[in-house]
Each structure stands twice: as structure tokens, then as C-alpha cells.
Amino acid sequence: MKNERRYLDHAATTPLDPEVFKIMKPYFTEKFGNPSSIHETGHGAKVAIKKAREQVAKVLHCRPNEILFTSGGTESDNLALKGVAEANNWKGHIITSVIEHHAIYNTARYLKERGLDITFVKVDEKGIINPDDILSAIKDDTILVSIMCANNEIGTIEPISEIGKEVKKQGIVMHTDAVQAGGVLSLNVDKLHIDMMSLSAHKFYGPKGIGILYVRNGTEFVPQQIGGAQEFKKRASTENVPGIIGLSDALFRSDDKRKKESDRLIGLRDFTIQKIQQEIKGAILTGHKTERLPNNISFCFPGLEGEALVMRLSERGFDTSSGSACASGNFDASHVLLACGLDAKVALGSLRVAIGKSTTKEDLELFINVLKEEVKKLAKIAGIVDIAYR
Ligand code: PLP
């Protein structure tokens, strides 16, 4: 039996793969050159970035000059939305959804304050967007549709390819936040029918602080970071060379093992969901049963506080997370769960378990037993006499 902590929060971040770190290391030390320098040391870094960009382009099935390296998912999302908005003189209509990550959701709200017209399309109770709702929201001045590939809290996978196909037929730019899909789902930009896509390396066993914005050639957008000529004059700043090397290697490795690892995770995910449903009758599965990320297990425990449960599980050696947050004594239910129609009192009891490469069936069996015990204890404290928690 393993004595170490069991990390079940891979949707928040993943550990850097030691093999990836090995490949990154020389770029911090002896291969430290600035790719813009014309001498030999700089040239070495430039060549390494070129190779990394080509490797990423292979995974995304796109051209290398369509890959922009950024500082992560948040910057990529900001760049996509603000870049397209500025290309349209900060005017026009943008369609997004009510369940986007804050990197999109709050950027869309910011653009609304600046006078753009924003539609937040609803989801059904499983968190799925109906492509017809996107189509009927399109107006004459719609400039962008931005819908996430997969949700970070409930793991729901959205019908991006179907949406993208229709949106592109109408000549509108289609962006997807694929941060949770990176390394897990296929990222073929043509099959997804998208023009822009955000990715972040720390979600697929790469380093933190490095991401990608894919921008299809011909897509009108205005760079948001002004300075030097790096990244085809679309994202100024000296390149994060070790980060770029790490990102491309991590993406290649995870894509290479994607099918096999997905099947393994789906087996563990479905085993855990079924067991929790059997063992804790009051637990409510959130998100879709099958259209969900292979690594996502998310439940609500009505009447309990998700954060308290996370803390208790942490004390018992399991790292998980909750969509609800306690800010200055007030509990904020997740906007994603509320958008799925859950009552705030139910949504406050949310728990997300995100499994990963290191997770075994034994880990999950132990976890389910501990979860059962802690749910019972919290229910007792909350004065819930419901048979489901007895
Ligand atoms: N988009 C989604 C769906 C995410 O899950 C996250 C991070 O959790 C982000 C964007 C932001 O990515 P980053 O942490 O790289 O800024």
C-alpha cells in the first residue's frame, strides 16, 4: 500500500513529467540563449523553438506559424476574445456559454462593460450546449463564438465539431478553450472546425506558465501584447524557451498515449462513479454520464459544504477540490452548477475528483471508503438525519 498522499486533483494541475523536465533542464542552464540573438547561443534556442513548434503543429494538424506560445490558458483566452474584439474596433456580438472558465467568462463580461454585445448560451441539466441554441443566437454582427471543449468542474464534453462546422459556414470566427481537453481528447483543429484554440501545458504533465493560442491563418485578430517581433509579431516578449520545449514534449507524449490512457481512466472513472452511487445514496452525479472527460468524477452532496469535505479529505491524505468557495464567510456556489439548474444549497456541496496517470484502482477503493466516512461525519454535524447519509 502507498503511504504518500493521493493526488486526485489533476484538473487543477498535473505534476511535471520527470522525463519532460529532463529535456527542459539544459534550456535553463547551458542552452540559455535568447532566440532573437544572432550568435550561436541564440541560434541554438531558435532552432529548438522551431522544432518544438513543428511538433505541436503535428499534434494539432495545423501549420507551425499558426501556433503562438503564451503564458498559459488565461492569456490565450484573453488574447482570443480581446484580439478578435479589437480587430472589429471593439464592436459586435460575441456568443459564449454560461459554463465557461472564468478566463473566458470574466473576459466576456469585461468586453460587455466595454460595450460589446455578449450572449451567454445556456446548457441543459448535464451541462451540454445545444448547437441549435448557438445557431439561433447568431446575429448579423456576430464576430466570434467561443465555447469550451470540456468543462473544468463537471467534465462535460461539448459538441465543438458540430458547433464549429455551422459557425464557420457563416464566416464567423470559432474559438474553443481546450485547456481541459489537452492531452486527453483529439486536438485536430480541422476535425473540430475551429479557428482558434487555447491550451495550457500544466494540465498535461508539462510546466506551468506556458500555453498555446492556435490561430488559423487568415483569422483577423489584433495582438494584445506590444513590443518586439517574437511569435510572428503576434505576441511580444522573449520566449520562455524551457517552457516551450517542455510543452511540446509533454503534448507529444500525452497525445501518443492518449487512446490507451483514456481507456484506462474511463474504466477507473466509471468504477468510482458507480461505487459512490451505490455506497452514498444521497450523492448526486453532476455532468453527463458518458460525454465527460475520462478523468472527471464530480458529485454534489446536498446539505454538506464542499470545502469542508475537501479539507477533511485532505487531512486523510486525498487531494480533491470543490466548485464552491467560501469568500469572507459567504459561500459562493459554482456558476457552472447553478447553470445546470442545481439549487444553490445542493451546489454548495460539490466535490470534484480528477484522476490521472498515477491513480490506481486501489487508490480509488481507499478513497471511496474514506469519502463515505467523512460524508457521514459531516452529515451528522450538519444535523442531516437523511437515510442516505446514515
Ligand atoms: N480554461 C480552463 C477550462 C481551465 O480549466 C483553466 C485552468 O484551470 C484555464 C482556462 C486557465 O488556464 P491557466 O491556469 O493556464 O491560466
Side-chain angles (χ1 to χ4, degrees):
M1 197 172 79
K2 290 194 271 183
N3 278 325
E4 73 270 25
R5 293 193 67 76
R6 287 173 175 81
Y7 184 77
L8 300 175
D9 199 15
H10 291 82
T13 196
T14 54
L16 178 63
D17 181 332
E19 291 302 313
V20 173
F21 185 46
K22 225 188 261 176
I23 287 170
M24 290 170 68
K25 243 176 166 173
Y27 293 92
F28 285 108
T29 51
E30 70 264 32
K31 297 183 178 179
F32 61 88
N34 182 332
S36 298
S37 305
I38 57 170
H39 48 62
E40 194 57 36
T41 310
H43 184 69
K46 190 174 176 173
V47 169
I49 288 189
K50 185 170 180 280
K51 281 192 187 147
R53 205 185 298 278
E54 284 164 1
Q55 182 151 275
V56 170
K58 262 191 204 145
V59 176
L60 270 54
H61 296 261
C62 69
R63 284 153 289 274
N65 70 352
E66 294 174 316
I67 304 291
L68 302 183
F69 291 113
T70 66
S71 65
T74 302
E75 185 192 331
S76 298
D77 284 347
N78 270 262
L79 186 52
L81 265 61
K82 291 179 188 163
V84 172
E86 188 169 354
N88 288 277
N89 296 316
W90 304 103
K91 287 195 194 94
H93 173 232
I94 293 177
I95 301 172
T96 185
S97 85
V98 283
I99 60 158
E100 297 296 314
H101 185 273
H102 284 123
I104 291 287
Y105 195 71
N106 287 342
T107 306
R109 283 174 28 171
Y110 166 83
L111 292 174
K112 195 177 166 89
E113 277 169 24
R114 289 201 58 162
L116 277 91
D117 180 14
I118 313 281
T119 300
F120 293 92
V121 167
K122 65 174 177 20
V123 293
D124 69 12
E125 72 279 7
K126 306 288 181 210
I128 302 262
I129 294 162
N130 182 344
D132 289 342
D133 289 345
I134 304 276
L135 293 187
S136 51
I138 291 176
K139 301 180 185 178
D140 289 344
D141 64 343
T142 303
I143 55 171
L144 175 70
V145 173
S146 176
I147 301 293
M148 70 198 322
C149 241
N151 185 267
N152 45 299
E153 288 183 37
I154 56 174
T156 303
I157 299 172
E158 300 300 341
I160 294 302
S161 174
E162 223 179 313
I163 295 170
K165 202 171 182 177
E166 293 305 319
V167 167
K168 282 184 61 62
K169 262 189 211 161
Q170 307 208 23
I172 299 165
V173 177
M174 175 75 199
H175 168 256
T176 189
D177 174 344
V179 169
Q180 289 292 334
V184 182
L185 304 181
S186 163
L187 299 173
N188 183 323
V189 294
D190 288 333
K191 287 196 178 148
L192 287 170
H193 301 282
I194 50 159
D195 301 305
M196 299 177 116
M197 176 164 70
S198 305
L199 287 169
S200 183
H202 73 100
K203 307 290 185 181
F204 46 84
Y205 304 92
K208 292 175 182 59
I210 183 79
I212 289 171
L213 181 65
Y214 157 77
V215 185
R216 189 180 289 276
N217 284 337
T219 306
E220 282 193 38
F221 102 107
V222 175
Q224 297 297 298
Q225 201 153 293
I226 315 296
Q230 294 91 352
E231 299 300 291
F232 317 105
K233 298 188 181 163
K234 289 174 181 163
R235 198 270 181 184
S237 185
T238 299
E239 295 87 341
N240 172 357
V241 184
I244 291 170
I245 303 301
L247 179 148
S248 82
D249 191 53
L251 186 66
F252 176 76
R253 280 171 198 270
S254 53
D255 196 63
D256 198 38
K257 298 186 201 95
R258 191 163 51 81
K259 179 76 186 80
K260 207 166 158 218
E261 179 62 357
S262 273
D263 289 348
R264 188 186 78 88
L265 291 176
I266 288 171
L268 291 178
R269 177 196 75 186
D270 292 347
F271 159 78
T272 310
I273 289 177
Q274 210 183 358
K275 266 286 208 213
I276 292 176
Q277 284 176 325
Q278 274 168 10
E279 305 273 330
I280 310 172
K281 292 278 182 271
I284 297 171
L285 178 71
T286 52
H288 197 276
K289 204 162 174 232
T290 51
E291 291 304 305
R292 75 186 297 140
L293 289 170
N295 67 350
N296 178 288
I297 298 155
S298 61
F299 277 94
C300 277
F301 298 93
L304 307 192
E305 283 170 12
E307 275 202 338
L309 188 54
V310 169
M311 292 313 294
R312 281 174 167 267
L313 291 169
S314 174
E315 278 166 24
R316 305 276 311 261
F318 296 94
D319 295 326
T320 60
S321 86
S322 172
S324 69
C326 176
S328 2
N330 293 317
F331 283 96
D332 280 332
S334 132
H335 70 286
V336 174
L337 297 174
L338 296 180
C340 294
L342 286 176
D343 190 84
K345 277 191 199 134
V346 174
L348 284 175
S350 74
L351 181 76
R352 179 187 69 187
V353 176
I355 56 180
K357 263 198 313 205
S358 60
T359 314
T360 63
K361 192 167 179 191
E362 190 203 17
D363 292 336
L364 292 166
E365 279 166 342
L366 288 170
F367 171 72
I368 295 160
N369 284 335
V370 169
L371 176 68
K372 212 167 121 183
E373 286 171 20
E374 295 305 328
V375 163
K376 259 194 217 167
K377 284 187 211 162
L378 274 179
K380 205 169 165 197
I381 293 167
I384 302 171
V385 288
D386 198 311
I387 188 145
Y389 292 138
R390 233 180 267 161

